[in-house]
Amino acid sequence: MRLLTHNMLSSNIKGVTSGFPLRIEVEKVVQKEVEFNADFLRNMFAKIEWSALVEASKTMGYSELPDSAESSMLDSDEFLHRFHHALLELHLEEGALICPETGRKFPVNKGIPNMLLHEDEV
């Protein structure tokens, strides 16, 4: 699971009001090379919750992103490459996503998060 995906997911358990961002429990991280596309990154930047991306990337062992970012930074190739690596090349292969409010763990196996809810959570 890429951090791009993580940045878009939240806990939909009934009654949960603050289900984002999901915390990450890491068992295995892999890096998969992805073709660099600066235009894609510039378009995605406004849709990304930056603090959640920074925290998630640190949890996965990558601490090269600045704590805060603004659109003027998109002119820097160095920034774009770090953003690209964190967003698209780091993959949570095995682990869990944890609801920040309830502590409920959603397993991630072979890079696929299982966000299915139990009957009493719907």
Side-chain angles (χ1 to χ4, degrees):
M1 178 196 71
R2 295 177 179 168
L3 291 184
L4 172 62
T5 303
H6 171 263
N7 205 270
M8 306 290 170
L9 292 175
S10 66
S11 175
N12 289 324
I13 297 172
K14 178 175 60 177
V16 168
T17 57
S18 59
F20 179 86
L22 296 165
R23 292 191 325 268
I24 296 176
E25 184 177 273
V26 175
E27 290 178 26
K28 181 180 179 186
V29 173
V30 296
Q31 294 185 36
K32 298 179 182 178
E33 193 171 324
V34 174
E35 185 177 337
F36 181 78
N37 183 333
D39 289 334
F40 174 78
L41 295 169
R42 289 184 183 104
N43 289 330
M44 286 305 299
F45 180 77
K47 298 174 177 112
I48 297 298
E49 175 59 47
W50 191 259
S51 60
L53 176 63
V54 169
E55 187 62 34
S57 67
K58 286 179 181 177
T59 300
M60 291 177 52
Y62 185 70
S63 58
E64 300 299 314
L65 293 176
D67 289 336
S68 62
E70 54 189 51
S71 59
S72 64
M73 297 170 87
L74 296 170
D75 294 330
S76 163
D77 282 343
E78 181 181 349
F79 173 78
L80 285 174
H81 281 279
R82 290 177 179 183
F83 181 35
H84 166 82
H85 182 71
L87 194 67
L88 300 172
E89 294 185 329
L90 293 177
H91 289 253
L92 180 64
E93 192 70 12
E94 300 292 332
L97 302 175
I98 303 168
C99 174
E101 190 172 314
T102 65
R104 160 78 145 80
K105 289 186 179 185
F106 298 95
V108 177
N109 294 307
K110 297 180 183 173
I112 301 169
N114 180 348
M115 300 297 292
L116 293 175
L117 299 176
H118 299 130
E119 230 177 88
D120 62 331
E121 296 172 326
V122 180

